[in-house]
PDB file of all heavy atoms in Angstrom:
ATOM      1  N   GLY E  79      -0.976   4.091  -7.258  1.00 98.00           N
ATOM      2  CA  GLY E  79      -1.114   5.225  -8.135  1.00 98.00           C
ATOM      3  C   GLY E  79      -1.656   4.752  -9.524  1.00 98.00           C
ATOM      4  O   GLY E  79      -1.165   5.304 -10.531  1.00 98.00           O
ATOM      5  N   SER E  81      -4.911   4.841 -10.976  1.00 98.00           N
ATOM      6  CA  SER E  81      -6.190   5.288 -11.552  1.00 98.00           C
ATOM      7  C   SER E  81      -6.029   5.808 -12.947  1.00 98.00           C
ATOM      8  O   SER E  81      -7.027   5.936 -13.653  1.00 98.00           O
ATOM      9  CB  SER E  81      -6.778   6.329 -10.692  1.00 98.00           C
ATOM     10  OG  SER E  81      -7.370   5.788  -9.541  1.00 98.00           O
ATOM     11  N   ARG E  82      -4.846   6.194 -13.331  1.00 98.00           N
ATOM     12  CA  ARG E  82      -4.584   6.759 -14.650  1.00 98.00           C
ATOM     13  C   ARG E  82      -3.086   6.485 -15.098  1.00 98.00           C
ATOM     14  O   ARG E  82      -2.331   5.947 -14.310  1.00 98.00           O
ATOM     15  CB  ARG E  82      -4.891   8.270 -14.689  1.00 98.00           C
ATOM     16  CG  ARG E  82      -3.929   9.092 -13.857  1.00 98.00           C
ATOM     17  CD  ARG E  82      -4.193  10.530 -13.881  1.00 98.00           C
ATOM     18  NE  ARG E  82      -2.998  11.257 -13.538  1.00 98.00           N
ATOM     19  CZ  ARG E  82      -3.061  12.546 -13.077  1.00 98.00           C
ATOM     20  NH1 ARG E  82      -4.156  13.115 -12.871  1.00 98.00           N
ATOM     21  NH2 ARG E  82      -1.874  13.108 -12.838  1.00 98.00           N
ATOM     22  N   GLY E  83      -2.764   6.928 -16.275  1.00 98.00           N
ATOM     23  CA  GLY E  83      -1.361   6.861 -16.691  1.00 98.00           C
ATOM     24  C   GLY E  83      -0.731   5.498 -16.774  1.00 98.00           C
ATOM     25  O   GLY E  83      -1.382   4.537 -17.093  1.00 98.00           O
ATOM     26  N   ILE E  84       0.478   5.531 -16.452  1.00 98.00           N
ATOM     27  CA  ILE E  84       1.301   4.241 -16.542  1.00 98.00           C
ATOM     28  C   ILE E  84       0.734   3.192 -15.564  1.00 98.00           C
ATOM     29  O   ILE E  84       0.628   2.044 -16.011  1.00 98.00           O
ATOM     30  CB  ILE E  84       2.753   4.596 -16.226  1.00 98.00           C
ATOM     31  CG1 ILE E  84       3.379   5.505 -17.278  1.00 98.00           C
ATOM     32  CG2 ILE E  84       3.595   3.321 -16.044  1.00 98.00           C
ATOM     33  CD1 ILE E  84       4.756   6.056 -16.932  1.00 98.00           C
ATOM     34  N   GLY E  85       0.387   3.551 -14.387  1.00 98.00           N
ATOM     35  CA  GLY E  85      -0.145   2.580 -13.415  1.00 98.00           C
ATOM     36  C   GLY E  85      -1.367   1.847 -13.970  1.00 98.00           C
ATOM     37  O   GLY E  85      -1.551   0.633 -13.862  1.00 98.00           O
ATOM     38  N   THR E 102      -4.251   1.037  -6.044  1.00 99.00           N
ATOM     39  CA  THR E 102      -4.490   2.228  -5.129  1.00 99.00           C
ATOM     40  C   THR E 102      -4.325   3.508  -5.879  1.00 99.00           C
ATOM     41  O   THR E 102      -3.747   3.583  -6.975  1.00 99.00           O
ATOM     42  CB  THR E 102      -3.387   2.226  -3.981  1.00 99.00           C
ATOM     43  OG1 THR E 102      -2.220   2.750  -4.555  1.00 99.00           O
ATOM     44  CG2 THR E 102      -3.124   0.880  -3.384  1.00 99.00           C
ATOM     45  N   ASP E 103      -4.951   4.536  -5.289  1.00 98.00           N
ATOM     46  CA  ASP E 103      -4.706   5.906  -5.644  1.00 98.00           C
ATOM     47  C   ASP E 103      -5.129   6.776  -4.538  1.00 98.00           C
ATOM     48  O   ASP E 103      -5.747   6.265  -3.575  1.00 98.00           O
ATOM     49  CB  ASP E 103      -5.431   6.293  -6.982  1.00 98.00           C
ATOM     50  CG  ASP E 103      -4.674   7.282  -7.771  1.00 98.00           C
ATOM     51  OD1 ASP E 103      -4.471   8.448  -7.335  1.00 98.00           O
ATOM     52  OD2 ASP E 103      -4.095   6.937  -8.876  1.00 98.00           O
ATOM     53  N   LEU E 104      -4.825   7.999  -4.655  1.00 98.00           N
ATOM     54  CA  LEU E 104      -5.163   8.937  -3.497  1.00 98.00           C
ATOM     55  C   LEU E 104      -6.626   8.923  -3.162  1.00 98.00           C
ATOM     56  O   LEU E 104      -7.037   8.977  -2.004  1.00 98.00           O
ATOM     57  CB  LEU E 104      -4.728  10.404  -3.861  1.00 98.00           C
ATOM     58  CG  LEU E 104      -3.263  10.710  -3.644  1.00 98.00           C
ATOM     59  CD1 LEU E 104      -3.013  12.088  -4.197  1.00 98.00           C
ATOM     60  CD2 LEU E 104      -2.848  10.598  -2.183  1.00 98.00           C
ATOM     61  N   SER E 129      -5.678   5.351  -0.974  1.00 98.00           N
ATOM     62  CA  SER E 129      -4.586   5.143  -0.068  1.00 98.00           C
ATOM     63  C   SER E 129      -3.450   6.111  -0.473  1.00 98.00           C
ATOM     64  O   SER E 129      -3.097   6.283  -1.609  1.00 98.00           O
ATOM     65  CB  SER E 129      -4.094   3.688  -0.231  1.00 98.00           C
ATOM     66  OG  SER E 129      -2.711   3.568   0.047  1.00 98.00           O
ATOM     67  N   ASN E 130      -2.915   6.834   0.522  1.00 98.00           N
ATOM     68  CA  ASN E 130      -1.825   7.800   0.272  1.00 98.00           C
ATOM     69  C   ASN E 130      -0.472   6.992   0.514  1.00 98.00           C
ATOM     70  O   ASN E 130      -0.138   6.742   1.646  1.00 98.00           O
ATOM     71  CB  ASN E 130      -1.900   8.926   1.286  1.00 98.00           C
ATOM     72  CG  ASN E 130      -0.747   9.864   1.090  1.00 98.00           C
ATOM     73  OD1 ASN E 130       0.101   9.682   0.248  1.00 98.00           O
ATOM     74  ND2 ASN E 130      -0.690  10.993   1.919  1.00 98.00           N
ATOM     75  N   ALA E 131       0.161   6.684  -0.578  1.00 99.00           N
ATOM     76  CA  ALA E 131       1.387   5.865  -0.526  1.00 99.00           C
ATOM     77  C   ALA E 131       2.468   6.541   0.276  1.00 99.00           C
ATOM     78  O   ALA E 131       3.433   5.894   0.699  1.00 99.00           O
ATOM     79  CB  ALA E 131       1.815   5.549  -1.961  1.00 99.00           C
ATOM     80  N   ALA E 132       2.399   7.839   0.403  1.00 99.00           N
ATOM     81  CA  ALA E 132       3.464   8.597   1.085  1.00 99.00           C
ATOM     82  C   ALA E 132       3.333   8.382   2.629  1.00 99.00           C
ATOM     83  O   ALA E 132       4.268   8.806   3.387  1.00 99.00           O
ATOM     84  CB  ALA E 132       3.433  10.054   0.751  1.00 99.00           C
ATOM     85  N   ASN E 157       4.424   2.444  -8.177  1.00 99.00           N
ATOM     86  CA  ASN E 157       4.292   3.354  -9.367  1.00 99.00           C
ATOM     87  C   ASN E 157       3.878   4.764  -9.098  1.00 99.00           C
ATOM     88  O   ASN E 157       4.212   5.689  -9.779  1.00 99.00           O
ATOM     89  CB  ASN E 157       3.243   2.805 -10.375  1.00 99.00           C
ATOM     90  CG  ASN E 157       2.767   3.726 -11.432  1.00 99.00           C
ATOM     91  OD1 ASN E 157       3.498   3.941 -12.402  1.00 99.00           O
ATOM     92  ND2 ASN E 157       1.621   4.355 -11.263  1.00 99.00           N
ATOM     93  N   ALA E 158       3.265   4.999  -7.934  1.00 98.00           N
ATOM     94  CA  ALA E 158       2.804   6.301  -7.593  1.00 98.00           C
ATOM     95  C   ALA E 158       3.925   7.348  -7.576  1.00 98.00           C
ATOM     96  O   ALA E 158       4.995   7.050  -7.149  1.00 98.00           O
ATOM     97  CB  ALA E 158       2.143   6.359  -6.184  1.00 98.00           C
ATOM     98  N   GLY E 159       3.718   8.443  -8.249  1.00 98.00           N
ATOM     99  CA  GLY E 159       4.775   9.528  -8.298  1.00 98.00           C
ATOM    100  C   GLY E 159       4.194  10.850  -8.738  1.00 98.00           C
ATOM    101  O   GLY E 159       3.103  10.913  -9.334  1.00 98.00           O
ATOM    102  N   ILE E 160       4.970  11.849  -8.367  1.00 98.00           N
ATOM    103  CA  ILE E 160       4.539  13.248  -8.747  1.00 98.00           C
ATOM    104  C   ILE E 160       5.779  14.007  -9.137  1.00 98.00           C
ATOM    105  O   ILE E 160       6.932  13.580  -8.872  1.00 98.00           O
ATOM    106  CB  ILE E 160       3.872  14.043  -7.554  1.00 98.00           C
ATOM    107  CG1 ILE E 160       4.847  14.037  -6.353  1.00 98.00           C
ATOM    108  CG2 ILE E 160       2.512  13.442  -7.187  1.00 98.00           C
ATOM    109  CD1 ILE E 160       4.386  15.078  -5.254  1.00 98.00           C
ATOM    110  N   VAL E 180       6.372  11.263  -1.705  1.00 98.00           N
ATOM    111  CA  VAL E 180       5.497  10.543  -2.597  1.00 98.00           C
ATOM    112  C   VAL E 180       6.222   9.581  -3.440  1.00 98.00           C
ATOM    113  O   VAL E 180       5.816   8.443  -3.710  1.00 98.00           O
ATOM    114  CB  VAL E 180       4.622  11.504  -3.486  1.00 98.00           C
ATOM    115  CG1 VAL E 180       3.789  10.715  -4.467  1.00 98.00           C
ATOM    116  CG2 VAL E 180       3.722  12.441  -2.619  1.00 98.00           C
ATOM    117  N   MET E 207       9.104   2.009  -9.971  1.00 99.00           N
ATOM    118  CA  MET E 207       9.167   2.924 -11.127  1.00 99.00           C
ATOM    119  C   MET E 207      10.120   4.094 -10.871  1.00 99.00           C
ATOM    120  O   MET E 207       9.751   4.970 -10.194  1.00 99.00           O
ATOM    121  CB  MET E 207       7.671   3.495 -11.343  1.00 99.00           C
ATOM    122  CG  MET E 207       7.414   3.927 -12.722  1.00 99.00           C
ATOM    123  SD  MET E 207       7.739   2.714 -14.004  1.00 99.00           S
ATOM    124  CE  MET E 207       6.382   1.546 -13.710  1.00 99.00           C
ATOM    125  N   SER E 208      11.276   3.866 -11.458  1.00 98.00           N
ATOM    126  CA  SER E 208      12.217   4.973 -11.395  1.00 98.00           C
ATOM    127  C   SER E 208      12.037   5.911 -12.639  1.00 98.00           C
ATOM    128  O   SER E 208      10.886   6.094 -13.033  1.00 98.00           O
ATOM    129  CB  SER E 208      13.665   4.390 -11.387  1.00 98.00           C
ATOM    130  OG  SER E 208      14.638   5.463 -11.311  1.00 98.00           O
ATOM    131  N   SER E 209      13.096   6.406 -13.137  1.00 98.00           N
ATOM    132  CA  SER E 209      12.979   7.258 -14.358  1.00 98.00           C
ATOM    133  C   SER E 209      14.348   7.396 -14.969  1.00 98.00           C
ATOM    134  O   SER E 209      15.328   7.322 -14.250  1.00 98.00           O
ATOM    135  CB  SER E 209      12.432   8.641 -13.992  1.00 98.00           C
ATOM    136  OG  SER E 209      12.737   9.581 -15.029  1.00 98.00           O
ATOM    137  N   TYR E 222      12.988  15.553  -8.044  1.00 98.00           N
ATOM    138  CA  TYR E 222      12.409  14.310  -8.797  1.00 98.00           C
ATOM    139  C   TYR E 222      13.605  13.373  -9.095  1.00 98.00           C
ATOM    140  O   TYR E 222      13.463  12.166  -8.847  1.00 98.00           O
ATOM    141  CB  TYR E 222      11.797  14.792 -10.061  1.00 98.00           C
ATOM    142  CG  TYR E 222      11.027  13.669 -10.820  1.00 98.00           C
ATOM    143  CD1 TYR E 222       9.853  13.190 -10.405  1.00 98.00           C
ATOM    144  CD2 TYR E 222      11.622  13.232 -12.027  1.00 98.00           C
ATOM    145  CE1 TYR E 222       9.238  12.204 -11.150  1.00 98.00           C
ATOM    146  CE2 TYR E 222      11.035  12.220 -12.694  1.00 98.00           C
ATOM    147  CZ  TYR E 222       9.776  11.746 -12.329  1.00 98.00           C
ATOM    148  OH  TYR E 222       9.171  10.789 -13.075  1.00 98.00           O
ATOM    149  N   LYS E 226      14.218   9.541  -7.741  1.00 98.00           N
ATOM    150  CA  LYS E 226      14.240   8.409  -8.713  1.00 98.00           C
ATOM    151  C   LYS E 226      15.578   7.665  -8.636  1.00 98.00           C
ATOM    152  O   LYS E 226      15.619   6.467  -8.842  1.00 98.00           O
ATOM    153  CB  LYS E 226      13.874   8.890 -10.080  1.00 98.00           C
ATOM    154  CG  LYS E 226      12.466   9.420 -10.322  1.00 98.00           C
ATOM    155  CD  LYS E 226      11.467   8.346  -9.954  1.00 98.00           C
ATOM    156  CE  LYS E 226      10.042   8.821 -10.278  1.00 98.00           C
ATOM    157  NZ  LYS E 226       9.002   7.766  -9.906  1.00 98.00           N
ATOM    158  N   PRO E 252      11.578   4.605 -17.161  1.00 98.00           N
ATOM    159  CA  PRO E 252      11.071   4.961 -18.423  1.00 98.00           C
ATOM    160  C   PRO E 252      11.636   6.329 -18.855  1.00 98.00           C
ATOM    161  O   PRO E 252      12.030   7.143 -18.025  1.00 98.00           O
ATOM    162  CB  PRO E 252       9.547   5.120 -18.176  1.00 98.00           C
ATOM    163  CG  PRO E 252       9.225   4.475 -16.877  1.00 98.00           C
ATOM    164  CD  PRO E 252      10.504   4.605 -16.098  1.00 98.00           C
ATOM    165  N   GLY E 253      11.656   6.485 -20.162  1.00 96.00           N
ATOM    166  CA  GLY E 253      11.985   7.789 -20.728  1.00 96.00           C
ATOM    167  C   GLY E 253      10.741   8.636 -20.812  1.00 96.00           C
ATOM    168  O   GLY E 253       9.854   8.569 -19.929  1.00 96.00           O
ATOM    169  N   PHE E 254      10.567   9.374 -21.892  1.00 95.00           N
ATOM    170  CA  PHE E 254       9.394  10.288 -21.992  1.00 95.00           C
ATOM    171  C   PHE E 254       8.142   9.534 -22.400  1.00 95.00           C
ATOM    172  O   PHE E 254       8.035   9.039 -23.498  1.00 95.00           O
ATOM    173  CB  PHE E 254       9.735  11.360 -23.055  1.00 95.00           C
ATOM    174  CG  PHE E 254       8.740  12.503 -23.071  1.00 95.00           C
ATOM    175  CD1 PHE E 254       9.189  13.792 -22.677  1.00 95.00           C
ATOM    176  CD2 PHE E 254       7.416  12.326 -23.288  1.00 95.00           C
ATOM    177  CE1 PHE E 254       8.274  14.807 -22.624  1.00 95.00           C
ATOM    178  CE2 PHE E 254       6.519  13.364 -23.297  1.00 95.00           C
ATOM    179  CZ  PHE E 254       6.987  14.666 -22.974  1.00 95.00           C
ATOM    180  N   ILE E 255       7.179   9.457 -21.485  1.00 97.00           N
ATOM    181  CA  ILE E 255       5.930   8.716 -21.733  1.00 97.00           C
ATOM    182  C   ILE E 255       4.773   9.729 -21.716  1.00 97.00           C
ATOM    183  O   ILE E 255       4.692  10.559 -20.757  1.00 97.00           O
ATOM    184  CB  ILE E 255       5.687   7.651 -20.603  1.00 97.00           C
ATOM    185  CG1 ILE E 255       6.942   6.728 -20.430  1.00 97.00           C
ATOM    186  CG2 ILE E 255       4.408   6.853 -20.916  1.00 97.00           C
ATOM    187  CD1 ILE E 255       7.361   5.973 -21.628  1.00 97.00           C
ATOM    188  N   THR E 257       1.638  11.009 -20.618  1.00 97.00           N
ATOM    189  CA  THR E 257       0.565  10.915 -19.646  1.00 97.00           C
ATOM    190  C   THR E 257       0.211  12.295 -19.166  1.00 97.00           C
ATOM    191  O   THR E 257       0.822  13.254 -19.644  1.00 97.00           O
ATOM    192  CB  THR E 257       1.073  10.054 -18.420  1.00 97.00           C
ATOM    193  OG1 THR E 257       2.088  10.861 -17.748  1.00 97.00           O
ATOM    194  CG2 THR E 257       1.620   8.721 -18.777  1.00 97.00           C
ATOM    195  N   GLU E 258      -0.716  12.328 -18.245  1.00 96.00           N
ATOM    196  CA  GLU E 258      -1.023  13.709 -17.633  1.00 96.00           C
ATOM    197  C   GLU E 258       0.142  14.310 -17.000  1.00 96.00           C
ATOM    198  O   GLU E 258       0.281  15.579 -16.924  1.00 96.00           O
ATOM    199  CB  GLU E 258      -2.197  13.555 -16.741  1.00 96.00           C
ATOM    200  CG  GLU E 258      -3.498  13.359 -17.389  1.00 96.00           C
ATOM    201  CD  GLU E 258      -4.715  13.176 -16.557  1.00 96.00           C
ATOM    202  OE1 GLU E 258      -4.970  13.995 -15.717  1.00 96.00           O
ATOM    203  OE2 GLU E 258      -5.426  12.131 -16.736  1.00 96.00           O
ATOM    204  N   MET E 259       1.078  13.532 -16.474  1.00 95.00           N
ATOM    205  CA  MET E 259       2.319  14.063 -15.866  1.00 95.00           C
ATOM    206  C   MET E 259       3.170  14.897 -16.856  1.00 95.00           C
ATOM    207  O   MET E 259       3.695  15.910 -16.476  1.00 95.00           O
ATOM    208  CB  MET E 259       3.179  12.891 -15.286  1.00 95.00           C
ATOM    209  CG  MET E 259       4.355  13.432 -14.478  1.00 95.00           C
ATOM    210  SD  MET E 259       5.360  12.059 -13.840  1.00 95.00           S
ATOM    211  CE  MET E 259       4.567  11.902 -12.177  1.00 95.00           C
ATOM    212  N   THR E 260       3.220  14.390 -18.058  1.00 94.00           N
ATOM    213  CA  THR E 260       4.081  15.107 -19.056  1.00 94.00           C
ATOM    214  C   THR E 260       3.293  16.001 -20.056  1.00 94.00           C
ATOM    215  O   THR E 260       3.867  16.719 -20.870  1.00 94.00           O
ATOM    216  CB  THR E 260       4.870  14.044 -19.893  1.00 94.00           C
ATOM    217  OG1 THR E 260       3.920  13.074 -20.382  1.00 94.00           O
ATOM    218  CG2 THR E 260       5.977  13.394 -19.167  1.00 94.00           C
TER     219      THR E 260
HETATM  220  P1  NAI N1575       0.328  10.455 -13.657  1.00 91.99           P
HETATM  221  O1  NAI N1575       0.400  11.714 -12.931  1.00 91.99           O
HETATM  222  O2  NAI N1575      -0.534  10.347 -14.848  1.00 91.99           O
HETATM  223  O3  NAI N1575      -0.183   9.310 -12.636  1.00 91.99           O
HETATM  224  C1  NAI N1575       0.310   9.153 -11.275  1.00 91.99           C
HETATM  225  C2  NAI N1575      -0.750   8.568 -10.381  1.00 91.99           C
HETATM  226  O4  NAI N1575      -0.255   8.536  -9.082  1.00 91.99           O
HETATM  227  C3  NAI N1575      -2.006   9.454 -10.349  1.00 91.99           C
HETATM  228  O5  NAI N1575      -3.179   8.682 -10.533  1.00 91.99           O
HETATM  229  C4  NAI N1575      -1.949  10.101  -8.946  1.00 91.99           C
HETATM  230  O6  NAI N1575      -3.230  10.396  -8.409  1.00 91.99           O
HETATM  231  C5  NAI N1575      -1.249   8.977  -8.173  1.00 91.99           C
HETATM  232  N1  NAI N1575      -0.634   9.470  -6.980  1.00 91.99           N
HETATM  233  C6  NAI N1575       0.003  10.634  -6.754  1.00 91.99           C
HETATM  234  N2  NAI N1575       0.347  10.757  -5.459  1.00 91.99           N
HETATM  235  C7  NAI N1575      -0.076   9.656  -4.831  1.00 91.99           C
HETATM  236  C8  NAI N1575       0.055   9.133  -3.530  1.00 91.99           C
HETATM  237  N3  NAI N1575       0.603   9.883  -2.499  1.00 91.99           N
HETATM  238  N4  NAI N1575      -0.522   7.954  -3.208  1.00 91.99           N
HETATM  239  C9  NAI N1575      -1.084   7.194  -4.139  1.00 91.99           C
HETATM  240  N5  NAI N1575      -1.199   7.592  -5.403  1.00 91.99           N
HETATM  241  C10 NAI N1575      -0.733   8.798  -5.786  1.00 91.99           C
HETATM  242  O7  NAI N1575       1.798  10.016 -13.841  1.00 91.99           O
HETATM  243  P2  NAI N1575       2.474   8.861 -14.885  1.00 91.99           P
HETATM  244  O8  NAI N1575       3.160   9.513 -15.926  1.00 91.99           O
HETATM  245  O9  NAI N1575       1.501   7.796 -15.077  1.00 91.99           O
HETATM  246  O10 NAI N1575       3.575   8.282 -13.860  1.00 91.99           O
HETATM  247  C11 NAI N1575       3.590   7.067 -13.154  1.00 91.99           C
HETATM  248  C12 NAI N1575       4.958   6.833 -12.604  1.00 91.99           C
HETATM  249  O11 NAI N1575       5.937   6.745 -13.652  1.00 91.99           O
HETATM  250  C13 NAI N1575       5.521   7.885 -11.657  1.00 91.99           C
HETATM  251  O12 NAI N1575       6.249   7.348 -10.571  1.00 91.99           O
HETATM  252  C14 NAI N1575       6.433   8.699 -12.550  1.00 91.99           C
HETATM  253  O13 NAI N1575       7.378   9.435 -11.878  1.00 91.99           O
HETATM  254  C15 NAI N1575       7.014   7.651 -13.385  1.00 91.99           C
HETATM  255  N6  NAI N1575       7.550   8.078 -14.666  1.00 91.99           N
HETATM  256  C16 NAI N1575       6.826   8.738 -15.632  1.00 91.99           C
HETATM  257  C17 NAI N1575       7.362   9.138 -16.773  1.00 91.99           C
HETATM  258  C18 NAI N1575       6.589   9.845 -17.814  1.00 91.99           C
HETATM  259  O14 NAI N1575       7.232  10.340 -18.865  1.00 91.99           O
HETATM  260  N7  NAI N1575       5.283  10.053 -17.762  1.00 91.99           N
HETATM  261  C19 NAI N1575       8.794   8.901 -17.133  1.00 91.99           C
HETATM  262  C20 NAI N1575       9.464   8.160 -16.050  1.00 91.99           C
HETATM  263  C21 NAI N1575       8.887   7.794 -14.871  1.00 91.99           C
END
Side-chain angles (χ1 to χ4, degrees):
S81 285
R82 67 180 202 202
I84 294 172
T102 77
D103 212 295
L104 278 174
S129 153
N130 179 2
N157 167 78
I160 57 166
V180 176
M207 203 55 70
S208 180
S209 163
Y222 184 78
K226 295 300 186 181
F254 194 114
I255 309 298
T257 66
E258 284 177 56
M259 182 180 270
T260 47

